[in-house]
Structure formats: structure tokens, C-alpha cells
Amino acid sequence: MTTTNSSTEERLSRLEGTYEHLATKEDVAKVETQVAQLETKIAELQALVEQRFANQTRWFVGFMLSGMAFMTAVAFGIARLVQ
């Protein structure tokens, strides 16, 4: 998008003005650091979720086995009363 009526100085100043909006190496380094921190935090949260899921599964299996044992005892008790 060049205009033939603009002088070289005007075109150069317009180009230099657009460079102010570009990221510097420092900006890119900051973003890379933030991304690394977020990746670490995500890994920590993922480990926590897996741990909580394992705990939940253990509790669920424990309750189910307890419930099955209780129901078996009740069934045997009822069977003894009926005989």
C-alpha cells in the first residue's frame, strides 16, 4: 500500500511509527516465562486432580464393598429367620 505522492521521509516516519507496536525480545522473553509458569501450574493441577480421583475411587470401592457385605449379612440373617 504505497502512495506515489508521499515523500521518502513521510514513508519512513510511517514505518518507524509502526515499529512501536511490535514486541521486543524482552517482551517475548516475558511471555515465554509466563507460558513456562502456566505449564508448571497446569502440571501441578493435573497431578492434584489425578490424586483426588484416585482417592474418590478408593472411597467408592470401599463403600461398595461395605454395602455388599452388609447386604449379604442381612440376606443371610433373613434366610436364618425364615428357616
Side-chain angles (χ1 to χ4, degrees):
M1 184 172 146
T2 59
T3 57
T4 56
N5 295 339
S6 299
S7 69
T8 305
E9 291 81 16
E10 291 172 345
R11 292 171 54 197
L12 183 60
S13 67
R14 203 169 33 235
L15 287 173
E16 287 174 345
T18 59
Y19 281 131
E20 294 174 6
H21 304 290
L22 298 178
T24 62
K25 288 181 182 180
E26 182 180 328
D27 295 334
V28 172
K30 285 180 184 177
V31 170
E32 288 175 346
T33 304
Q34 290 174 346
V35 167
Q37 289 172 349
L38 286 175
E39 287 174 344
T40 303
K41 186 68 174 175
I42 288 170
E44 291 172 359
L45 290 174
Q46 191 174 21
L48 180 64
V49 166
E50 289 173 1
Q51 179 187 14
R52 296 263 171 101
F53 182 73
N55 288 341
Q56 178 185 3
T57 302
R58 281 190 213 108
W59 277 98
F60 177 74
V61 169
F63 278 123
M64 290 303 292
L65 291 175
S66 299
M68 289 169 49
F70 176 74
M71 293 306 293
T72 302
V74 168
F76 278 118
I78 291 173
R80 281 190 119 194
L81 288 175
V82 171
Q83 285 183 348

